[in-house]
Coordinates of all heavy atoms in Angstrom, one line a residue:
L58 N 14.7 -52.8 204.8 CA 15.9 -53.4 205.4 C 16.0 -53.1 206.9 O 16.4 -53.9 207.7 CB 17.1 -52.9 204.6 CG 17.2 -53.4 203.2 CD1 18.4 -52.8 202.5 CD2 17.2 -54.9 203.0
E59 N 15.8 -51.8 207.3 CA 15.9 -51.4 208.7 C 15.0 -52.2 209.6 O 15.4 -52.5 210.8 CB 15.7 -49.9 208.8 CG 16.7 -49.0 208.2 CD 18.0 -48.9 209.0 OE1 18.0 -49.4 210.1 OE2 19.0 -48.4 208.5
K60 N 13.9 -52.6 209.1 CA 13.0 -53.4 209.9 C 13.2 -54.9 209.9 O 13.0 -55.6 210.8 CB 11.5 -53.1 209.5 CG 11.1 -51.7 209.8 CD 9.6 -51.5 209.4 CE 9.2 -50.0 209.7 NZ 7.7 -49.8 209.3
I61 N 13.7 -55.4 208.7 CA 13.9 -56.8 208.5 C 15.1 -57.3 209.3 O 15.1 -58.3 209.9 CB 14.1 -57.1 207.0 CG1 12.8 -57.0 206.2 CG2 14.7 -58.5 206.8 CD1 13.0 -57.2 204.8
I62 N 16.2 -56.5 209.3 CA 17.4 -56.9 209.9 C 17.5 -56.5 211.4 O 17.5 -55.3 211.7 CB 18.7 -56.4 209.2 CG1 18.6 -56.7 207.7 CG2 19.9 -56.9 209.8 CD1 18.5 -58.2 207.4
P63 N 17.4 -57.4 212.3 CA 17.4 -57.0 213.8 C 18.8 -56.4 214.2 O 19.8 -56.8 213.7 CB 17.2 -58.4 214.5 CG 17.6 -59.4 213.5 CD 17.4 -58.9 212.1
V64 N 18.7 -55.5 215.1 CA 19.9 -54.9 215.6 C 20.6 -55.8 216.7 O 21.8 -55.6 217.0 CB 19.7 -53.5 216.3 CG1 19.1 -52.5 215.2 CG2 18.7 -53.6 217.4
A65 N 19.9 -56.8 217.2 CA 20.5 -57.7 218.1 C 19.8 -59.1 217.9 O 18.6 -59.2 217.7 CB 20.3 -57.3 219.6
F66 N 20.6 -60.2 217.8 CA 20.1 -61.5 217.6 C 21.2 -62.5 218.1 O 22.4 -62.2 217.9 CB 19.7 -61.8 216.2 CG 20.8 -61.5 215.2 CD1 21.6 -62.6 214.8 CD2 21.0 -60.3 214.6 CE1 22.6 -62.4 213.9 CE2 22.0 -60.0 213.7 CZ 22.9 -61.1 213.3
S67 N 20.7 -63.6 218.6 CA 21.6 -64.7 219.1 C 22.7 -64.0 219.9 O 22.4 -63.3 220.9 CB 22.3 -65.4 217.9 OG 21.3 -66.1 217.1
D68 N 24.0 -64.2 219.6 CA 25.1 -63.6 220.4 C 25.6 -62.3 219.8 O 26.7 -61.8 220.1 CB 26.2 -64.6 220.5 CG 27.3 -64.2 221.5 OD1 26.9 -63.6 222.5 OD2 28.5 -64.5 221.3
W69 N 24.8 -61.7 218.8 CA 25.3 -60.6 218.1 C 24.5 -59.3 218.4 O 23.3 -59.4 218.6 CB 25.3 -60.8 216.6 CG 26.1 -61.9 216.1 CD1 25.8 -63.2 215.9 CD2 27.5 -61.8 215.8 NE1 26.9 -63.9 215.5 CE2 28.0 -63.1 215.4 CE3 28.4 -60.7 215.8 CZ2 29.3 -63.3 215.0 CZ3 29.7 -61.0 215.4 CH2 30.2 -62.2 215.0
K70 N 25.2 -58.2 218.5 CA 24.4 -56.9 218.6 C 25.2 -55.8 217.8 O 26.4 -55.9 217.6 CB 24.4 -56.5 220.1 CG 25.7 -56.2 220.7 CD 25.5 -55.8 222.2 CE 26.9 -55.5 222.9 NZ 26.7 -55.1 224.3
E71 N 24.4 -54.8 217.4 CA 25.0 -53.8 216.6 C 25.9 -52.9 217.4 O 25.7 -52.6 218.6 CB 23.9 -52.9 216.0 CG 24.4 -51.7 215.1 CD 23.3 -50.8 214.6 OE1 22.2 -50.9 215.1 OE2 23.7 -49.9 213.8
L72 N 27.0 -52.6 216.9 CA 28.0 -51.8 217.5 C 27.9 -50.3 217.1 O 27.8 -50.0 215.9 CB 29.5 -52.3 217.1 CG 30.6 -51.5 217.7 CD1 30.7 -51.7 219.2 CD2 31.9 -51.9 217.0
D73 N 27.9 -49.4 218.1 CA 27.8 -48.0 217.8 C 29.2 -47.6 217.3 O 30.1 -47.5 218.1 CB 27.4 -47.2 219.0 CG 27.2 -45.7 218.8 OD1 27.4 -45.3 217.6 OD2 26.9 -45.0 219.7
T74 N 29.3 -47.3 216.0 CA 30.6 -46.9 215.5 C 30.7 -45.4 215.4 O 31.6 -44.9 214.7 CB 30.7 -47.5 214.0 OG1 29.6 -47.1 213.2 CG2 30.8 -49.0 214.1
G75 N 29.8 -44.6 216.0 CA 29.9 -43.2 216.0 C 29.6 -42.6 214.6 O 30.1 -41.5 214.3
G76 N 28.8 -43.3 213.8 CA 28.5 -42.8 212.5 C 29.4 -43.2 211.4 O 29.2 -42.9 210.2
A77 N 30.5 -43.9 211.8 CA 31.5 -44.3 210.8 C 30.9 -45.3 209.8 O 31.1 -45.3 208.6 CB 32.8 -44.8 211.5

Side-chain angles (χ1 to χ4, degrees):
L58 296 178
E59 289 286 349
K60 293 182 179 181
I61 290 177
I62 308 301
V64 296
F66 56 92
S67 298
D68 190 33
W69 296 95
K70 63 179 180 180
E71 183 183 6
L72 177 69
D73 183 3
T74 57

